[in-house]
Amino acid sequence: MNNDFTIEVELQSGPGILNRMINTCNRRLIKIKSISAFEKDDECSIASFVLHTSYANAIKVKKQFNKIIEVQTVSITEGVCACTIEEENY
Amino acid sequence: MQNKLNQQPKAALLMKPEELSGAEIIMRCLLAEGVNMVFGYPGGAILPVYDVLFEYEQQLKHILVRHEQGAIHAAQGYARASGKTGVVFVTSGPGATNLITGLADALMDSTPVVCFSGQVGSTLLGTDAFQETDVISASSPLTKWNIQVSKTEDIADAITKAFYIARSGRQGPVLIDITKNAQLGKTLFQYQPIKKLTTYDPVPAINRLVIEEAAKVINAAERPYILCGQGVILSGASESLIAFAEKANIPIACTLQGLSAVPTQHPLYVGYLGMHGNYAPNVNTNECDVLIAIGMRFDDRVTGNLEKYAKQAKIIHIDIDDTEINKLVHVDVPVHADAKEALELLLPMVVPATHTKWLKSFQDLYKAEYEKIISKNEVTDSTSICMGQVIYLLNEVTKGDAIIVTDVGQHQMIASRYSNFKQPRSNITSGGMGTMGFALPAAMGAKLAAPGKQVVAIVGDAGVQMTMQELGTIAQNDIHVKVIVLNNNYLGMVRQLQQLFYKQRYSSVEMINPDFIKIAEAYGIAAQKVVKLGELKRALREMWKYKGAYFLEVVVEKEENVFPTMPAGAGVNELLLSF
């Protein structure tokens, strides 16, 4: 059964990384309902994905995101979650 | 060969900063990374690099290939035979896009390769300039990591990072795209090796509790069974695996890429897994009570129908890549670890056992396969030649000491089924991608990596024509590789599938081939054609003894099929011995 999952990724800023993450979903035919991505500072960026897929697929995407060299942390929550980054960091 | 950082940068290069061009920085970094050979093809956007390479030829031997695909496959062969990282230079545009197949192949088969592509000057990026292509986007899903460098001062950092990433953790290909202005610009250079990246942790910390759990499951097993993948070879774990298996008398089967991790003559080696693998190791996957999968990824060619795969067994999966664990098969004991480290920790915890009855069951199943299939290879009085007979006679000549490089198709399956291997890294083939045209350039790279060993490329008549231009590279560089073409004038594997599963409608599989001998001789390569079985042994001996490259065409039975085979949807225990 498919549900919404929010995957939040903390990564080192750099070109092409968002592309890698989108490719990860595309090649598995996993629907991306929304993406938001922004640079927190020179070093760190945040990307947040809402995926509509099965739990098993969401876990696989989490692992695949973790495998991307520049990715620092990946968290996953069931449902559509607001970005947890505190306001002062914007 | 160690998985991790086996080519530590040379301390001699840690000298005081010097002002150098980007192109020269590339050379210095390569030397610092222990590179002494590069495969490549020059062009406009990488001219500054080739200009400097001219001065470094003594230290950095450049092999000029005939096509960039040949360069990356040669680098793959070099890496797989030596355990070192293969290096490739290409130009922008078509030079870079010609790498794509090789990058995908290296990613699937975990081969460490660092490719440098030239790129147009940074002011021309995005202008559709001559030979400009977005190789970063194109190669993104096919590389472990890639980067475009448009400033000279960023080159050294990118290269050290590239080598670190390519050869650590689960190894793979990396591409660095360097703009022409970055190659030409100058900056202060001091080599700084990378010890760690903050966001990348290639060596997982082993959870001892998981190892203890694995040992407990293995010790309680009555029919334990090891599936050995290429991860064992990449982590240099062959000896550890054998010690572990011998202690508890556990049978070992190898995947296509795992072949040569364990000597084929070892008493616990029970054969080759997969669609055209041996009967016993496939069937007994559904009979074991504990499956210990090491450095393998449950490829569909190994598992067949997953719904029918090892449902009765508790599965222990040891792999350095966490994404492989629980990807296809539910794992009871996941061990996210380097194979060697995990096996060394497991060894003292495993209690000795005999498993006599279980081991005998493999021999019983082998008899069925021997009678129906294998025994045909021992026929000595036939006129025509079957592919297995070639491998059997080749084994007599090589005695298991050669590096066997295979292409893709029937000959690959036959060579994998019947070749004798004694040493790890003596089986090189394109597994995951199944890239026809891989063998000839890969064998070239393997021979350059291991000049003291005989390297035999076994190729089909179709596959050899995909990269046949590399005969020119073999001739120019006097690379003593032996090429055996098994010629049935067909795309043999496709024809077999059409015969068995498409009502014998042979659609576009017949090959009208050129005179291969004339082609080889046109390159100045010694060549011979064999059509009768009686001539084969002598021809193989001549090839083996010949001091130089050799091209042996063997005309084989036109419509031979590879058995066993696994029809679509079948389980591993439903392998067909005949049709």
Side-chain angles (χ1 to χ4, degrees), chain B residues 260-508:
Chain B
S260 86
V262 179
T264 39
Q265 302 301 325
H266 192 282
L268 289 172
Y269 177 71
V270 293
Y272 156 51
L273 287 163
M275 186 172 174
H276 298 290
N278 292 113
Y279 192 55
N282 277 306
V283 169
N284 271 352
T285 305
N286 280 4
E287 296 296 328
C288 68
D289 60 356
V290 172
L291 197 63
I292 311 155
I294 310 169
M296 59 85 76
R297 59 186 179 84
F298 295 103
D299 181 84
D300 56 278
R301 298 290 138 146
V302 164
T303 64
N305 188 340
L306 279 168
E307 300 297 319
K308 303 177 191 170
Y309 185 76
K311 292 295 178 196
Q312 79 296 342
K314 274 199 167 179
I315 298 181
I316 299 167
H317 189 186
I318 302 172
D319 206 286
I320 198 162
D321 181 355
D322 193 33
T323 66
E324 293 299 347
I325 297 172
N326 281 318
K327 184 179 83 174
L328 293 159
V329 171
H330 172 76
V331 174
D332 299 284
V333 187
V335 186
H336 180 208
D338 172 71
K340 189 174 182 184
E341 283 182 48
L343 285 165
E344 283 176 355
L345 282 173
L346 263 176
L347 182 64
M349 297 183 199
V350 171
V351 294
T354 52
H355 304 303
T356 317
K357 204 173 149 195
W358 171 231
L359 285 164
K360 191 176 173 300
S361 72
F362 284 88
Q363 292 164 12
D364 295 343
L365 289 164
Y366 174 80
K367 277 179 197 152
E369 186 184 358
Y370 178 81
E371 277 163 26
K372 284 202 164 173
I373 302 166
I374 300 172
S375 55
K376 288 178 190 162
N377 302 322
E378 292 173 359
V379 173
T380 52
D381 56 358
S382 62
T383 314
S384 62
I385 305 172
C386 76
M387 287 180 271
Q389 287 170 318
V390 182
I391 308 303
Y392 260 54
L393 290 175
L394 181 66
N395 283 338
E396 281 183 23
V397 176
T398 67
K399 299 186 169 59
D401 287 325
I403 294 176
I404 304 291
V405 187
T406 53
D407 211 69
V408 174
Q410 287 186 314
H411 74 277
Q412 176 193 34
M413 295 296 104
I414 296 280
S416 303
R417 285 173 55 77
Y418 303 124
S419 290
N420 280 343
F421 299 107
K422 277 187 186 163
Q423 293 287 328
R425 296 192 178 277
S426 55
N427 163 57
I428 299 174
T429 192
S430 168
M433 267 288 278
T435 307
M436 285 174 68
F438 172 85
L440 187 66
M444 204 165 83
K447 180 66 187 174
L448 289 163
K453 292 204 96 176
Q454 285 271 25
V455 176
V456 182
I458 302 171
V459 203
D461 52 302
V464 74
Q465 292 184 74
M466 283 201 172
T467 47
M468 198 159 58
Q469 72 283 348
E470 299 310 332
L471 288 174
T473 312
I474 290 169
Q476 182 171 340
N477 294 283
D478 194 23
I479 304 167
H480 295 190
V481 60
K482 315 294 180 190
V483 184
I484 301 177
V485 174
L486 301 183
N487 183 4
N488 54 13
N489 291 288
Y490 263 130
L491 294 173
M493 187 60 92
V494 182
R495 186 210 53 75
Q496 172 172 342
L497 292 168
Q498 290 178 345
Q499 181 189 353
L500 302 185
F501 306 115
Y502 289 84
K503 299 178 184 162
Q504 216 164 343
R505 286 153 58 90
Y506 289 170
S507 177
S508 296

Side-chain angles (χ1 to χ4, degrees), chain A residues 20 60 63 67 69-71, chain B residues 143 145 199 321 325 327:
Chain A
R20 276 186 186 266
K60 281 177 189 170
K63 280 188 174 188
K67 198 170 153 178
I69 304 292
E70 293 85 351
V71 167
Chain B
T143 47
W145 186 66
T199 59
D321 181 355
I325 297 172
K327 184 179 83 174

